[in-house]
Amino acid sequence: MKEKYLINARIIDPKNQIDEIGGLIIDSKGLIKAIGKKVSNGNIPSEADKIDVKKQVLMPGIVDMRVFVGEPGFEYKENFRTLSNAALSGGVTSVVSMPNTSPVIDNVSMVDFLKRRGRDKSRINIFPAASLTKNTEGKQMTEFGLLKRKGIIAFTDGIKTVQDPQVMSRIMNFASQSKSLIMQHAEDNILSKDGLINEGEISTRLGLKGIPFLAEKIIVERDLSFLEEYFCRYHISQISSEKTLDVIKKAKEEGKIFTTGVSINNLTLNENDIGNFKTFLKLSPPLRTEKDRQSLVQGIKDGYIDVIVSDHKPEDEESKRLTFAQATTGASGVETLLSLVLELFHNKSVKLNKLIASITSNPAKILDVDKGNLKKGNDADFCIVDINKPWVVDKSKLKSKSKNTPIEDRKLQGQVLKTFIKGEVAYERI
Amino acid sequence: MAIIKKFKAVKKEQNHLLGIQSLSFSEISNILNQAKTFITLNKSASKKLDILRGKTQINLFFEPSTRTQSSFELAGKRLGADVMSMNIVNSAIKKGETLIDTAMTLNAMHPDIIVIRHQDSGAPNLLSQKVNCSVINAGDGRREHPTQALLDALTIINRKGKIEGLKIAICGDILHSRVARSNIYLMNMLGAEVNVVAPKTLLPHSIERLGVKAFTNMKKGLDKCDIVMMLRLQNERMHGSFLPSAREYYEYFGLTPDKLKCAKKDALIMHPGPMNRGVEIDTNLADDINRSVIREQVELGVAVRMACLKIFCKKV
């Protein structure tokens, strides 16, 4: 591979505190050889490839901590190849895949299978998460140590929550010794039983059973109490309400150490968007009020929420073309994550640097992987973004196998032009 | 997939009755005025008209129903339509067919009207997007039951001459009640003042935002009311620990002569049926011909449904 010189770029790398016009050199192995303003037009060897970025943003590849793949078991919804294409077109170069497959990723042999499939079929970095409990049943914990040795970097029951407090406390206690990362989807199943959308005026009007914010808050409060006794690497996958954020603020002020994520859906949509029973907006956690949305945005701004995820959950048309009660939960989102994140920049809610950190360096830090930054010697995984380019979401143009985007026809600003994986162009917008 | 895409192309030229919320004031007056003309017809010796002759009406009831289903069936027949009531228990739906597939199958038979009752809120809306005939909502989940509210309005107008300025109390299981929601929208739109009375566990979240006053004390809620609308308490609610017992419920929320004294002297008692005597209503009050209009509601139900069938059968 020839060396590549990318010049005249606005380089944004939150981890290394870079936001400057400069260049990036990729060496013959696909690693970053040099970066910054010292890389300029003057010093390019004649045999190297030269790419003029024309002042567009060059940022680390996105690390998406919450993505569902259909393999194994639901290949008709999404496979590694389609996920990879979708992710690349959205500037995402690393994903943590959720274990809610069929069968569930809960043992060492499944991990081998996934890694092989991921390597053969996709170009992005796949970090499979294993389940916290066998078959995500919430009863018997999985083999954290053995799985970790196989390369599993995070444990979660994905769409499920460990309900039994005893099991959860033991998981946290056990995980503290193997230093495993525990990621919890916070939802009390009894409080949210049969619930479909946020409990409030909209649920009353639509006649749909509500999911109270308490269902989320109570699990976060419980787990944070455990954390005092059993300190482990604990991450709340995504929160949806202001009241939960208040609990998190208080715990952080008390000095507790843990991290929190939020789905881009909860930052850019609210319960009113459900309109006339739009099943594509049936999500978990549910979309809540505008007040909740605003406080979550503030949570990103204030640093109480560390990570923004796409919560990419591809679902085929047939599982959505049902009554609201029968339709499946979840929305596709990996390809629109960055554009929606940029919406928060364009409407002046949050600073660009902070937003980019929440999808690159912050998740990488939590996962303890050397991704999401542009340090010399790292894999050259990055993307070039025209942060101002206007476009309209058209689901027929999405690369994901499933087209269940919750933001069809939304006008967005900012689009990925090119995505590089290990120094090679893996995606280019035509 | 291909079939679904084809159906997306269906032009939305149909007139549907999906809920009170989607009706305008003039549409409501039109229905009520039309229904008035059918009241006399229904009492006459020859009850049959040919307004809907040659039209096909399918009743698609996913939930058991006696009065609503028979009322719609009778209404259709009196207007001269061919009425078919689907028996869901023996149908393909029990074999796992989705609502959309059922809709497409029925649509292929070219009906003019589908009357649907479904346990899921929003099911008629979904159906209406997929068929090219009129869809009439006969009750969906806890969302709406528009024809019940319309017949309640007609009953009140018949007795009180108007709705504007009246004070109406809706009492009982508001949380699970589509009748309550449709009535709240309709009575508000027609200018009444609406109170809802229920124990806190059976009051929906933010119910005040629908334009009502909420009471947990029945006597206060009934104060100076012209209309007392009782709702059925479904027995399964007892097991979900919404309430301690039927006895306690009757003590605090059952309609008794003592509590009724708080309402106006000429207040009318209404109930959408079926009643649980001794749970939500005193049995003598339910049968009091001076106060209770429960049987009249059923009678006018046919007239209101005839009006709805006639009006909504037409293409816009």
Side-chain angles (χ1 to χ4, degrees), chain A residues 199-201 203-210 276-277 317-318 321-326 395, chain B residues 1 4 8 21 98-100 120-123 125-126 142-143 181 185 204-206 209-210:
Chain A
E199 183 178 63
E201 184 188 344
S203 69
T204 296
R205 280 187 188 275
L206 292 179
L208 297 174
K209 189 166 186 293
N276 190 13
F277 299 97
E317 200 114 341
E318 277 64 38
R321 299 260 176 246
L322 295 167
T323 62
F324 206 90
Q326 291 165 355
K395 67 177 173 191
Chain B
M1 276 292 286
I4 290 178
K8 264 191 197 161
Q21 270 176 303
T98 67
L99 179 62
I100 288 182
D120 291 343
S121 301
N125 306 49
L126 181 66
R142 355 169 140 173
R143 192 180 71 102
R181 283 173 179 73
Y185 302 133
H205 200 283
S206 312
R209 301 272 300 159
L210 270 57

Side-chain angles (χ1 to χ4, degrees), chain B residues 156-300:
Chain B
I156 296 170
I157 292 169
N158 219 21
R159 285 295 189 104
K160 298 277 183 191
K162 57 162 191 176
I163 288 181
E164 198 177 350
L166 296 185
K167 202 167 166 186
I168 298 172
I170 307 176
C171 314
D173 184 358
I174 312 285
L175 180 65
H176 300 96
S177 176
R178 51 192 173 220
V179 176
R181 283 173 179 73
S182 283
N183 263 315
I184 289 170
Y185 302 133
L186 183 62
M187 299 307 161
N188 263 332
M189 213 194 272
L190 297 177
E193 189 184 323
V194 183
N195 288 352
V196 293
V197 182
K200 277 196 167 172
T201 48
L202 293 177
L203 274 175
H205 200 283
S206 312
I207 186 74
E208 299 83 3
R209 301 272 300 159
L210 270 57
V212 297
K213 276 190 200 144
F215 291 86
T216 50
N217 180 321
M218 192 161 180
K219 285 186 175 176
K220 283 185 186 158
L222 292 191
D223 185 44
K224 296 192 186 68
C225 277
D226 301 279
I227 308 289
V228 182
M229 236 180 237
M230 298 305 298
L231 297 172
R232 190 172 98 86
L233 185 76
Q234 278 130 315
N235 283 326
E236 60 268 25
R237 308 291 171 230
M238 300 295 177
H239 307 299
S241 70
F242 283 97
L243 298 165
S245 71
R247 187 169 67 177
E248 172 145 343
Y249 183 78
Y250 184 69
E251 177 67 26
Y252 292 96
F253 296 95
L255 187 64
T256 54
D258 176 49
K259 291 187 198 112
L260 188 61
K261 273 182 205 152
C262 301
K264 280 191 187 158
K265 275 210 176 91
D266 59 348
L268 299 178
I269 301 169
M270 303 178 80
H271 195 299
M275 274 185 286
N276 293 312
R277 289 166 188 269
V279 177
E280 68 249 1
I281 188 163
D282 176 274
T283 187
N284 293 329
L285 279 181
D287 296 332
D288 182 346
I289 49 165
N290 296 318
R291 309 296 294 268
S292 161
V293 290
I294 296 169
R295 254 165 274 169
E296 202 171 319
Q297 286 174 275
V298 179
E299 185 194 331
L300 300 193

Side-chain angles (χ1 to χ4, degrees), chain A residues 87-107:
Chain A
L88 288 168
S89 75
V92 176
T93 55
S94 303
V95 302
V96 177
S97 64
M98 293 295 110
N100 308 88
T101 46
S102 176
V104 167
I105 313 305
D106 62 0
N107 62 70

Side-chain angles (χ1 to χ4, degrees), chain B residues 82-126:
Chain B
D82 294 319
V83 184
M84 185 184 89
S85 288
M86 291 266 295
N87 189 349
I88 301 300
V89 183
N90 299 327
S91 79
I93 292 142
K94 289 278 171 194
K95 299 174 194 159
E97 190 176 71
T98 67
L99 179 62
I100 288 182
D101 286 335
T102 310
M104 291 192 304
T105 310
L106 294 177
N107 199 48
M109 299 175 193
H110 302 292
D112 300 281
I113 307 168
I114 294 179
V115 178
I116 177 177
R117 164 166 293 189
H118 201 281
Q119 63 279 8
D120 291 343
S121 301
N125 306 49
L126 181 66

Side-chain angles (χ1 to χ4, degrees), chain B residues 45-156:
Chain B
S46 172
K47 301 182 179 66
K48 192 129 173 158
L49 295 177
D50 61 357
I51 297 171
L52 295 184
R53 191 170 61 193
K55 305 277 185 192
T56 307
Q57 172 191 339
I58 297 179
N59 291 342
L60 195 55
F61 278 61
F62 291 83
E63 271 186 345
S65 156
T66 2
R67 64 199 70 210
T68 309
Q69 189 169 352
S70 50
S71 183
F72 266 111
E73 193 164 337
L74 213 50
K77 283 178 175 164
R78 284 190 182 162
L79 293 175
D82 294 319
V83 184
M84 185 184 89
S85 288
M86 291 266 295
N87 189 349
I88 301 300
V89 183
N90 299 327
S91 79
I93 292 142
K94 289 278 171 194
K95 299 174 194 159
E97 190 176 71
T98 67
L99 179 62
I100 288 182
D101 286 335
T102 310
M104 291 192 304
T105 310
L106 294 177
N107 199 48
M109 299 175 193
H110 302 292
D112 300 281
I113 307 168
I114 294 179
V115 178
I116 177 177
R117 164 166 293 189
H118 201 281
Q119 63 279 8
D120 291 343
S121 301
N125 306 49
L126 181 66
L127 186 72
S128 71
Q129 290 160 15
K130 303 293 165 190
V131 295
N132 42 10
C133 68
S134 289
V135 173
I136 292 186
N137 181 3
D140 64 324
R142 355 169 140 173
R143 192 180 71 102
E144 283 236 38
H145 192 352
T147 56
Q148 177 69 43
L150 288 162
L151 74 88
D152 289 340
L154 188 65
T155 310
I156 296 170

